[in-house]
Every structure is written in C-alpha cells, then in structure tokens.
Coordinates of all heavy atoms in Angstrom, one line a residue:
D1239 N -17.4 -0.7 8.5 CA -18.7 -0.9 9.1 C -19.7 -0.4 8.2 O -19.5 0.6 7.5 CB -18.8 -0.1 10.5 CG -20.0 -0.4 11.3 OD1 -21.2 -0.3 10.6 OD2 -19.9 -0.8 12.4
P1240 N -20.8 -1.3 8.0 CA -21.7 -0.9 6.9 C -22.3 0.5 7.2 O -22.7 1.2 6.1 CB -22.8 -1.8 7.0 CG -22.4 -2.6 8.3 CD -21.1 -2.5 8.5
R1241 N -22.4 1.1 8.3 CA -22.9 2.4 8.6 C -22.1 3.4 8.1 O -22.6 4.6 8.0 CB -23.3 2.5 10.1 CG -22.1 2.5 11.1 CD -22.6 2.6 12.5 NE -21.5 2.3 13.4 CZ -20.9 3.3 14.0 NH1 -21.1 4.5 13.6 NH2 -19.9 3.0 14.8
A1242 N -20.8 3.1 7.9 CA -19.8 4.3 7.4 C -19.6 4.0 5.8 O -18.7 4.8 5.3 CB -18.6 4.3 8.1
R1243 N -20.2 3.2 5.2 CA -20.0 2.9 3.9 C -20.6 3.9 2.9 O -21.6 4.7 3.3 CB -20.5 1.5 3.4 CG -19.6 0.4 4.0 CD -20.2 -0.9 3.6 NE -19.3 -2.1 4.3 CZ -19.6 -3.4 4.1 NH1 -20.6 -3.7 3.5 NH2 -19.0 -4.2 4.9
G1244 N -20.1 4.1 1.7 CA -20.8 4.9 0.8 C -20.4 6.4 0.9 O -21.0 7.3 0.3
R1245 N -19.2 6.6 1.6 CA -18.9 8.0 1.9 C -17.5 8.1 1.5 O -16.9 9.3 1.8 CB -19.0 8.3 3.4 CG -20.5 8.1 4.0 CD -20.6 8.0 5.5 NE -19.9 9.2 6.1 CZ -19.9 9.4 7.4 NH1 -20.2 8.4 8.2 NH2 -19.4 10.5 7.9
G1246 N -16.8 7.3 0.8 CA -15.4 7.4 0.4 C -14.4 6.8 1.3 O -13.2 7.1 0.9
L1247 N -14.7 6.2 2.3 CA -13.7 5.6 3.3 C -12.8 4.7 2.6 O -11.7 4.6 2.8 CB -14.4 5.1 4.5 CG -14.6 6.0 5.7 CD1 -15.7 7.0 5.2 CD2 -15.0 5.3 7.0
G1248 N -13.4 3.7 1.8 CA -12.7 2.6 1.2 C -11.7 3.2 0.3 O -10.6 2.7 0.3
T1249 N -12.0 4.3 -0.6 CA -11.0 4.9 -1.4 C -9.9 5.5 -0.7 O -8.7 5.2 -1.0 CB -11.7 5.8 -2.4 OG1 -12.8 5.3 -3.2 CG2 -10.7 6.6 -3.2
A1250 N -10.3 6.3 0.4 CA -9.2 6.9 1.1 C -8.2 5.7 1.7 O -6.9 6.1 1.8 CB -9.9 7.8 2.2
M1251 N -8.9 4.8 2.3 CA -8.0 3.7 3.0 C -7.2 2.8 2.0 O -5.9 2.7 2.2 CB -8.9 2.9 3.9 CG -9.6 3.5 5.1 SD -10.9 2.6 5.7 CE -10.1 1.1 6.3
L1252 N -7.7 2.6 0.9 CA -7.0 1.8 -0.1 C -5.7 2.6 -0.6 O -4.6 2.2 -0.8 CB -7.8 1.4 -1.2 CG -7.2 0.8 -2.5 CD1 -6.6 -0.5 -2.0 CD2 -8.3 0.4 -3.5
E1253 N -6.0 4.0 -0.9 CA -5.0 4.8 -1.4 C -4.0 5.1 -0.5 O -2.7 5.1 -0.8 CB -5.6 6.0 -1.9 CG -6.4 6.0 -3.2 CD -7.1 7.2 -3.7 OE1 -6.9 8.3 -3.0 OE2 -7.7 7.2 -4.8
W1254 N -4.2 5.1 0.8 CA -3.2 5.2 1.9 C -2.4 4.0 1.9 O -1.2 3.9 2.0 CB -3.8 5.5 3.3 CG -2.8 5.6 4.4 CD1 -2.3 6.7 4.8 CD2 -2.3 4.7 5.2 NE1 -1.3 6.5 5.8 CE2 -1.3 5.2 6.0 CE3 -2.4 3.2 5.2 CZ2 -0.6 4.4 7.0 CZ3 -1.7 2.5 6.1 CH2 -0.7 3.1 7.0
C1255 N -3.0 2.8 1.8 CA -2.4 1.5 1.9 C -1.4 1.4 0.6 O -0.2 0.9 0.9 CB -3.4 0.3 1.8 SG -4.3 0.0 3.3
E1256 N -1.8 1.8 -0.5 CA -0.8 1.6 -1.6 C 0.3 2.6 -1.4 O 1.5 2.2 -1.7 CB -1.6 2.1 -2.9 CG -2.6 0.8 -3.3 CD -3.4 1.1 -4.6 OE1 -3.2 2.3 -5.2 OE2 -4.0 0.2 -5.2
D1257 N 0.0 3.8 -0.9 CA 1.2 4.8 -0.6 C 2.1 4.2 0.4 O 3.4 4.3 0.3 CB 0.7 6.1 -0.1 CG 0.1 6.9 -1.3 OD1 0.2 6.6 -2.4 OD2 -0.7 7.9 -0.9
R1258 N 1.5 3.5 1.4 CA 2.4 2.9 2.5 C 3.2 1.9 1.9 O 4.4 1.7 2.2 CB 1.6 2.6 3.6 CG 2.4 1.8 4.8 CD 3.4 2.6 5.3 NE 4.2 2.0 6.4 CZ 5.5 2.0 6.6 NH1 6.2 3.0 5.9 NH2 6.2 1.3 7.5
L1259 N 2.7 1.1 1.0 CA 3.5 -0.1 0.4 C 4.4 0.4 -0.5 O 5.5 -0.3 -0.5 CB 2.4 -1.0 -0.4 CG 1.4 -1.9 0.6 CD1 0.3 -2.5 -0.2 CD2 2.2 -2.8 1.4
R1260 N 4.2 1.4 -1.2 CA 5.4 2.0 -2.1 C 6.5 2.4 -1.2 O 7.6 2.3 -1.6 CB 4.7 3.3 -2.8 CG 3.7 2.8 -4.0 CD 3.4 4.0 -4.7 NE 2.3 3.8 -5.7 CZ 0.9 4.0 -5.6 NH1 0.6 4.5 -4.3 NH2 0.1 3.6 -6.5
E1261 N 6.1 3.1 0.0 CA 7.2 3.4 0.8 C 8.0 2.4 1.4 O 9.2 2.3 1.4 CB 6.5 4.2 2.1 CG 7.5 4.9 2.9 CD 6.8 5.8 4.1 OE1 6.0 5.1 4.9 OE2 7.0 6.9 4.0
I1262 N 7.2 1.2 1.8 CA 7.9 0.0 2.3 C 8.9 -0.5 1.2 O 10.0 -1.0 1.4 CB 7.0 -1.0 2.7 CG1 6.2 -0.5 4.0 CG2 7.5 -2.3 2.9 CD1 5.1 -1.4 4.4
A1263 N 8.4 -0.6 -0.1 CA 9.0 -1.2 -1.2 C 10.2 -0.4 -1.5 O 11.4 -0.9 -1.8 CB 8.2 -1.2 -2.4
G1264 N 10.2 1.0 -1.3 CA 11.4 1.8 -1.5 C 12.5 1.6 -0.6 O 13.7 1.8 -0.9
G1265 N 12.1 1.2 0.7 CA 13.2 0.9 1.6 C 13.7 -0.5 1.9 O 14.3 -0.8 2.8
T1266 N 13.0 -1.4 1.1 CA 13.3 -2.8 1.1 C 14.0 -3.3 -0.2 O 13.1 -3.6 -1.1 CB 12.0 -3.6 1.5 OG1 11.4 -3.0 2.6 CG2 12.3 -4.9 1.8
P1267 N 15.2 -3.6 -0.3 CA 15.8 -4.0 -1.5 C 15.2 -5.5 -1.9 O 14.8 -6.3 -1.1 CB 17.3 -4.3 -1.1 CG 17.5 -3.3 0.1 CD 16.2 -3.4 0.7
H1268 N 14.9 -5.4 -3.2 CA 14.4 -6.7 -3.9 C 14.8 -6.8 -5.3 O 14.7 -5.7 -6.0 CB 12.9 -6.6 -3.7 CG 12.2 -7.9 -4.3 ND1 12.5 -9.2 -3.9 CD2 11.3 -8.1 -5.4 CE1 11.7 -10.0 -4.5 NE2 11.2 -9.5 -5.5
D1269 N 15.3 -7.9 -5.8 CA 15.8 -8.0 -7.1 C 14.9 -8.7 -8.1 O 15.3 -9.0 -9.1 CB 17.0 -8.9 -7.1 CG 16.9 -10.3 -6.6 OD1 15.8 -10.6 -6.1 OD2 18.0 -11.0 -6.5
G1270 N 13.6 -8.7 -7.7 CA 12.5 -9.4 -8.6 C 11.4 -8.5 -8.8 O 11.3 -7.3 -8.5
P1271 N 10.4 -9.0 -9.5 CA 9.2 -8.1 -9.7 C 8.4 -8.0 -8.4 O 8.6 -8.6 -7.5 CB 8.3 -9.1 -10.7 CG 8.8 -10.5 -10.2 CD 10.2 -10.4 -10.0
T1272 N 7.4 -6.9 -8.5 CA 6.7 -6.5 -7.3 C 5.3 -6.2 -7.9 O 5.1 -5.7 -9.0 CB 7.2 -5.3 -6.7 OG1 8.5 -5.6 -6.2 CG2 6.3 -4.8 -5.5
E1273 N 4.3 -6.6 -7.2 CA 2.9 -6.1 -7.6 C 2.1 -5.9 -6.3 O 2.4 -6.4 -5.2 CB 2.3 -7.1 -8.5 CG 2.0 -8.5 -7.8 CD 1.5 -9.5 -9.0 OE1 1.4 -9.2 -10.1 OE2 1.1 -10.6 -8.5
F1274 N 0.9 -5.3 -6.5 CA -0.2 -5.1 -5.4 C -1.0 -6.3 -5.4 O -1.2 -7.0 -6.5 CB -0.9 -3.9 -5.6 CG -0.2 -2.6 -5.4 CD1 -0.1 -1.7 -6.5 CD2 0.4 -2.1 -4.2 CE1 0.6 -0.3 -6.3 CE2 0.9 -1.0 -4.0 CZ 1.0 0.0 -5.1
R1275 N -1.4 -6.7 -4.1 CA -2.3 -7.9 -3.9 C -3.4 -7.4 -3.0 O -3.2 -6.7 -2.1 CB -1.5 -9.0 -3.5 CG -0.5 -9.6 -4.3 CD -1.1 -10.6 -5.3 NE 0.0 -11.1 -6.2 CZ 0.6 -12.3 -5.8 NH1 0.3 -12.9 -4.7 NH2 1.6 -12.7 -6.5
S1276 N -4.6 -8.1 -3.1 CA -5.7 -8.1 -2.2 C -6.5 -9.1 -2.4 O -6.3 -10.0 -3.3 CB -6.3 -6.7 -2.3 OG -7.2 -6.5 -1.1
W1277 N -7.7 -9.2 -1.6 CA -8.6 -10.3 -1.7 C -10.0 -9.7 -1.5 O -10.1 -8.8 -0.8 CB -8.4 -11.4 -0.7 CG -7.2 -12.2 -0.9 CD1 -7.1 -13.5 -1.5 CD2 -5.8 -11.9 -0.6 NE1 -5.8 -13.9 -1.5 CE2 -5.0 -12.9 -1.1 CE3 -5.2 -10.6 -0.1 CZ2 -3.6 -13.0 -0.9 CZ3 -3.8 -10.7 0.1 CH2 -3.1 -11.8 -0.3
Y1278 N -11.0 -10.4 -1.9 CA -12.3 -10.2 -1.5 C -13.3 -11.5 -1.5 O -12.9 -12.4 -2.5 CB -13.1 -9.2 -2.3 CG -13.1 -9.4 -3.8 CD1 -14.2 -10.1 -4.3 CD2 -12.2 -9.0 -4.8 CE1 -14.5 -10.4 -5.6 CE2 -12.4 -9.2 -6.1 CZ -13.4 -10.0 -6.6 OH -13.6 -10.2 -7.9
D1279 N -14.2 -11.7 -0.8 CA -15.1 -12.7 -0.8 C -16.1 -12.3 -1.9 O -16.5 -11.1 -2.1 CB -15.8 -12.9 0.6 CG -16.7 -14.1 0.6 OD1 -17.9 -14.0 0.0 OD2 -16.3 -15.1 1.3
E1280 N -16.7 -13.4 -2.6 CA -17.7 -13.1 -3.6 C -19.0 -12.3 -3.1 O -19.7 -11.7 -3.8 CB -18.2 -14.4 -4.2 CG -18.9 -15.4 -3.5 CD -19.2 -16.6 -4.0 OE1 -19.1 -16.7 -5.2 OE2 -19.9 -17.5 -3.4
R1281 N -19.2 -12.4 -1.7 CA -20.3 -11.7 -1.2 C -20.0 -10.2 -0.7 O -20.9 -9.5 -0.5 CB -20.7 -12.5 0.0 CG -21.4 -13.7 -0.3 CD -21.4 -14.7 0.9 NE -20.1 -15.2 1.2 CZ -19.9 -16.2 2.0 NH1 -20.8 -16.8 2.6 NH2 -18.5 -16.6 2.3
E1282 N -18.7 -9.9 -0.8 CA -18.3 -8.4 -0.5 C -18.3 -7.7 -1.9 O -17.2 -7.2 -2.4 CB -16.8 -8.5 -0.1 CG -16.8 -9.1 1.4 CD -15.4 -9.2 1.9 OE1 -14.4 -9.8 1.2 OE2 -15.2 -8.8 3.1
T1283 N -19.5 -7.4 -2.4 CA -19.6 -6.8 -3.7 C -19.0 -5.3 -3.7 O -18.6 -4.8 -4.7 CB -21.1 -6.7 -4.0 OG1 -22.0 -6.0 -3.0 CG2 -21.7 -8.2 -4.3

C-alpha cells in the first residue's frame, strides 16, 4: 500500500521471499539450473 512505502517493507518482504525460495529449493530435487524470478510494470518505479 502506498501509505506504507518508504519504510523498508519491500526489502524485508523480498528478502523473506528469497529465503523461503531457498528453503523450497533445498527440499525439492532438481537436476537443472535454478534462478530467482520476478516482474514489474514500467509504472512501478
């Protein structure tokens, strides 16, 4: 929500997501490459 921006929420949430994805990857066998992904609209500066 824009009223909660600029306070570090985005960083905290993104870092939690990456930690959770690392945990999922560690428990899910895969024999190929792995990478993080996300998206943004050009207006989401």
Side-chain angles (χ1 to χ4, degrees):
D1239 189 304
R1241 65 189 174 87
R1243 293 178 181 177
R1245 302 164 60 185
L1247 272 68
T1249 295
M1251 293 164 64
L1252 175 58
E1253 292 177 354
W1254 182 90
C1255 285
E1256 291 184 347
D1257 285 344
R1258 176 61 183 144
L1259 289 169
R1260 291 185 185 98
E1261 184 177 64
I1262 292 170
T1266 309
H1268 180 63
D1269 60 0
T1272 299
E1273 65 184 11
F1274 289 117
R1275 295 278 184 87
S1276 193
W1277 287 262
Y1278 65 85
D1279 185 285
E1280 64 183 352
R1281 295 160 288 192
E1282 295 177 302
T1283 55

